[in-house]
Amino acid sequence: MKCKSAFAILVVLFMLLNGLSVVTTYANFSSNKINQVVNADSLLASSAHKVRKPGVIDSIIIDPFDNPVGAALDSSNGNVYVANSKSCSVSVINGSTNTVDKIITVGSSPEAVTFDSTNRNVYVANSNSCSVSVINGSTNTVIKNIRVGCNPDGAVFDSLNGYVYVTNCGSGSVSVINGSTNTVIKNIFVGDLSNGVAFDSSNGYVYVTNSLSNNVSVINGSTNTVIKNIRVGYDPKGVALDSSNGYVYVVNKYSNSVSVINGATNTVIKNISVGSMPVGVTFDTSNGYVYVTNSRFYQGFTNPLSSASNVSVINSVTNTVIKNITVGSWPFGVTYDSSNGYVYVDNGGSNNVSVINGANNSFVKNIGKLGAPLGLSFDSSNGYVYVTNGYSDSVSVINGDNNTIIKNISTGSFADSAAFDSYNGYVYVTNDCSKTVSVINGSTNTVIKNIRVGSGPDSVTFDSSNGYLYVTNFWSKNISVINGSTNLVVKTISVASLPEGGTYDNSNGYVYFMDGFHTVSVINGTTNTVIKNIAVGLSPTGAAVDNSNGYIYITNAYSKNVSVINGTTNTVIKNITVGLCPARAAFDSSNGNVYVTNYASKNVSVINGSTNVVVETIRVGPQPIGAAFDSSNGYVYVSSRSGTVSVLGCVNYTITPPPPQQPSYSNLYTIIEVVVAAIVLASVSIVLINKRRT
């Protein structure tokens, strides 16, 4: 009995001590989880120290137009000013020649532009800078930056009072700028997410679209007060005035319609159905037509149910759509040039400006280089990186020493992907629409041959064991095998589905190809036959081989993960969750990491090849799609559809150890509860022991 009682007392003491220890540890851990890790380093060094993490060290602009979103005409000189959101600049287009005369640096993420005819200044709303840049139209230089509300993305000039009205999307307000002094004289609060704005000279009213409120606020220009809110469609964006009839046209993005407001009564008199996701609108005074841009754009994706990107032409007399004009990808802003009768449409997706002749509503030309960089390949013989530009049918050559473009090489139609042949020093480029592969000599950077392959070639892989190049022909459902010595197709391998990307594993001599659905086909490079089909995630599109462990990493776009295949057994051993729509992958042999481009997340996931876990996520340009590793400088190059190539390397970060943890008594009640519970449990144990004794 004494032994059992003593044992019970020991249990109590153990629980008391252990309870105190557990609670104290939990209290310290929950108060600051990060400090638990950092304090371990502070035992070695009490002062600040530097670490190296993967990050963006450079960004190379491929296109002169970088996501153009807003435009305005300077009627005094006939120039059109286009706001380039991503490049933080304004392109000046000469209306006579329809060429870019100058690029002006402004604030961060310029969204809208308007012209003040009284002082000949151009006002640019910079969304991320919360400011308005004032450009002198005579010298095309920025003369002042004016602080306004949060996220300005709309601007209009009131010719009756000489004021500029700027909509602040984040503040739900409108800043009124006096054009004489270029200062804000008043902030007017309107609805939620205010963006579009237009001026009606017939009544002196300013019309502001509020996206979240689904209405239009009417501001009296004389008193600068809101006199009415008009209910329209879902997510109203652009707004324009038809000076011939006094009607105000409001585009409703999610309603796919245009609301027509009578300026005399400020009531909606008609809703006109247009294309998918309309955002921009302008009025052509020469023909009385209203032009509406149908963007087909929704949170980074095109609407799969809609037709091609176009501009709807509305006859303002009948308020009906009379024509749809095909333009570039994702058209947003639109403006009319009264000096030449042309309508200018900025296309955010194709990074250019479409010119429409208002006389016959026909397409005239596209201004701006259509780059759309898609694929990349590194040439180890010269240290150059080759970037395929789909829309410009060319390849940009980047010097890895200074990360600058040294040449643009014309190829076939829609250059898609590239691979380097280390045997002959040639770069092979697939031309999706030409059904060819262009062979570029790395010494001269010139095309020496075009090889005919199947339909829709969209990827190419080099097998260093046999010197062959494997080209996936998407529409032909086969793979063309090119002998690098003769540059001739020596065999065509049929596959089950639509082949896309591929990679070569030099540890086993196999070539791996994705079908775009959920399968990876394994080809034996010796016999050039399919030996196995491996099931992976949905829509596999990219692949990379880790030569250190013999693993193959497959990016599954719709599964949002990466399948890891063991090259020895050709089986999937793990699926790693990454960002949205992973597109391509590249292996960095210097650190053993795999870099995965997440097309819809605007970032790159870094996977540690030893542990197969994501160790870092790096923010890059919008719509990253291609990736390649440069072994000569240790950098990873990521191409983005936005027109940039991000250079990833190790960036120095300074970590300062936190101050010593101060004792906390916030968990005193928790400690008391544990002690009481332990005593009660011990008492019950003693009672049970005494019961058994009796």
Side-chain angles (χ1 to χ4, degrees):
M1 175 258 190
K2 287 183 180 178
C3 291
K4 291 180 178 178
S5 299
F7 176 77
I9 294 172
L10 288 174
V11 170
V12 173
L13 292 173
F14 176 79
M15 292 185 65
L16 286 173
L17 294 173
N18 194 53
L20 287 171
S21 175
V22 170
V23 172
T24 304
T25 302
Y26 175 77
N28 290 336
F29 184 75
S30 62
S31 63
N32 195 335
K33 293 182 180 179
I34 297 177
N35 284 342
Q36 295 286 58
V37 178
V38 178
N39 284 336
D41 289 337
S42 65
L43 294 175
L44 301 176
S46 58
S47 59
H49 62 283
K50 291 184 177 180
V51 297
R52 289 167 63 80
K53 293 172 61 180
V56 178
I57 61 171
D58 200 0
S59 186
I60 304 166
I61 304 298
I62 300 297
D63 299 323
F65 284 92
D66 199 351
N67 195 18
V69 290
L73 167 74
D74 183 341
S75 55
S76 65
N77 57 21
N79 289 338
V80 177
Y81 293 78
V82 180
N84 305 308
S85 178
K86 294 295 185 297
S87 60
C88 305
S89 65
V90 171
S91 297
V92 185
I93 297 176
N94 187 321
S96 302
T97 61
N98 282 327
T99 56
V100 178
D101 280 355
K102 189 175 183 180
I103 296 178
I104 307 169
T105 300
V106 289
S108 178
S109 188
E111 298 287 340
V113 189
T114 193
F115 173 65
D116 183 340
S117 56
T118 59
N119 59 18
R120 294 188 58 188
N121 289 338
V122 177
Y123 293 79
V124 182
N126 306 307
S127 183
N128 290 345
S129 299
C130 300
S131 66
V132 171
S133 295
V134 186
I135 299 174
N136 186 319
S138 302
T139 61
N140 281 328
T141 56
V142 177
I143 58 175
K144 189 173 184 179
N145 286 300
I146 307 169
R147 191 74 177 176
V148 288
C150 185
N151 301 125
D153 61 0
V156 73
F157 171 64
D158 184 338
S159 57
L160 295 182
N161 57 19
Y163 295 159
V164 175
Y165 292 79
V166 179
T167 57
N168 305 305
C169 181
S171 305
S173 63
V174 174
S175 295
V176 185
I177 298 175
N178 187 327
S180 302
T181 60
N182 281 327
T183 56
V184 176
I185 58 173
K186 189 173 184 179
N187 284 302
I188 307 168
F189 289 95
V190 286
D192 292 330
L193 282 185
S194 53
N195 43 49
V197 59
F199 170 65
D200 186 344
S201 57
S202 65
N203 57 18
Y205 293 161
V206 177
Y207 293 81
V208 179
T209 59
N210 305 305
S211 291
L212 283 184
S213 302
N214 297 324
N215 62 16
V216 173
S217 296
V218 185
I219 298 174
N220 187 326
S222 302
T223 60
N224 282 325
T225 56
V226 177
I227 58 173
K228 190 173 184 179
N229 286 305
I230 307 169
R231 191 75 176 178
V232 288
Y234 290 108
D235 195 15
K237 293 294 185 184
V239 56
L241 169 75
D242 182 342
S243 55
S244 65
N245 58 17
Y247 291 163
V248 178
Y249 292 79
V250 179
V251 293
N252 307 304
K253 183 177 179 181
Y254 294 149
S255 298
N256 296 333
S257 66
V258 173
S259 297
V260 185
I261 298 174
N262 187 328
T265 60
N266 282 325
T267 55
V268 176
I269 58 173
K270 190 173 184 180
N271 286 300
I272 308 168
S273 295
V274 288
S276 181
M277 308 292 180
V279 289
V281 59
T282 193
F283 174 64
D284 183 338
T285 55
S286 65
N287 59 18
Y289 293 157
V290 176
Y291 294 80
V292 178
T293 58
N294 303 306
S295 69
R296 300 177 64 241
F297 190 78
Y298 174 69
Q299 294 182 349
F301 298 93
T302 55
N303 183 352
L305 302 179
S306 66
S307 57
S309 298
N310 56 27
V311 172
S312 295
V313 185
I314 298 174
N315 185 326
S316 62
V317 177
T318 60
N319 280 326
T320 56
V321 176
I322 58 172
K323 190 174 184 180
N324 287 302
I325 306 170
T326 301
V327 288
S329 176
W330 305 339
F332 285 91
V334 57
T335 192
Y336 168 67
D337 185 340
S338 57
S339 65
N340 59 16
Y342 289 158
V343 176
Y344 294 81
V345 179
D346 50 56
N347 307 303
S350 52
N351 291 332
N352 65 356
V353 173
S354 296
V355 184
I356 296 173
N357 188 333
N360 53 18
N361 284 323
S362 61
F363 172 82
V364 179
K365 71 180 291 189
N366 281 316
I367 305 171
K369 178 184 174 183
L370 293 178
L374 299 175
L376 303 100
S377 182
F378 170 64
D379 183 340
S380 55
S381 65
N382 58 18
Y384 294 159
V385 176
Y386 293 78
V387 184
T388 59
N389 303 309
Y391 293 148
S392 61
D393 306 333
S394 66
V395 171
S396 297
V397 185
I398 298 174
N399 187 329
D401 293 331
N402 51 25
N403 286 326
T404 56
I405 298 173
I406 59 173
K407 191 173 183 179
N408 286 302
I409 307 170
S410 295
T411 57
S413 179
F414 204 86
D416 200 336
S417 65
F420 171 65
D421 183 339
S422 56
Y423 282 10
N424 56 23
Y426 294 160
V427 177
Y428 292 78
V429 178
T430 60
N431 305 306
D432 203 307
C433 297
S434 299
K435 302 179 183 179
T436 60
V437 172
S438 296
V439 186
I440 298 174
N441 186 326
S443 302
T444 60
N445 281 326
T446 56
V447 176
I448 59 173
K449 190 174 184 179
N450 285 300
I451 306 170
R452 191 75 175 177
V453 289
S455 178
D458 62 359
S459 75
V460 56
T461 301
F462 174 65
D463 184 340
S464 57
S465 66
N466 58 18
Y468 290 162
L469 293 113
Y470 295 80
V471 179
T472 58
N473 304 307
F474 187 82
W475 297 116
S476 300
K477 296 183 181 180
N478 57 27
I479 295 171
S480 297
V481 185
I482 298 174
N483 186 326
S485 302
T486 61
N487 282 326
L488 297 174
V489 176
V490 294
K491 189 173 183 178
T492 299
I493 306 170
S494 297
V495 290
S497 299
L498 304 172
E500 288 192 84
T503 190
Y504 167 68
D505 185 345
N506 59 11
S507 64
N508 58 17
Y510 294 159
V511 182
Y512 295 79
F513 289 103
M514 289 72 66
D515 68 351
F517 293 102
H518 52 73
T519 306
V520 172
S521 298
V522 186
I523 295 178
N524 186 325
T526 305
T527 61
N528 282 325
T529 56
V530 177
I531 59 172
K532 191 173 183 180
N533 288 305
I534 307 170
V536 289
L538 293 176
S539 188
T541 55
V545 176
D546 183 340
N547 297 320
S548 64
N549 57 19
Y551 291 162
I552 299 96
Y553 295 79
I554 307 293
T555 58
N556 305 307
Y558 294 159
S559 298
K560 298 181 289 187
N561 61 16
V562 172
S563 296
V564 186
I565 297 175
N566 186 326
T568 305
T569 61
N570 281 324
T571 56
V572 176
I573 59 173
K574 189 174 183 180
N575 287 302
I576 308 169
T577 301
V578 289
L580 295 175
C581 293
R584 297 290 186 270
F587 173 64
D588 184 340
S589 57
S590 66
N591 58 20
N593 291 336
V594 177
Y595 293 76
V596 178
T597 60
N598 302 308
Y599 187 83
S601 297
K602 304 178 185 178
N603 57 28
V604 173
S605 296
V606 185
I607 299 174
N608 185 317
S610 301
T611 60
N612 282 326
V613 296
V614 177
V615 294
E616 193 80 26
T617 300
I618 306 172
R619 190 79 170 176
V620 291
Q623 300 168 344
I625 188 167
F629 171 65
D630 184 340
S631 56
S632 66
N633 58 18
Y635 294 155
V636 175
Y637 293 79
V638 176
S639 61
S640 300
R641 289 292 294 270
S642 60
T644 62
V645 172
S646 298
V647 186
L648 310 185
C650 284
V651 182
N652 289 325
Y653 291 86
T654 301
I655 295 180
T656 305
Q661 186 83 23
Q662 297 297 324
S664 174
Y665 303 99
S666 59
N667 294 287
L668 181 59
Y669 290 109
T670 304
I671 296 173
I672 293 174
E673 288 176 0
V674 173
V675 172
V676 171
I679 293 173
V680 170
L681 183 58
S683 301
V684 172
S685 299
I686 294 172
V687 170
L688 291 174
I689 292 170
N690 289 333
K691 235 180 187 183
R692 289 178 182 176
R693 186 178 61 83
T694 56

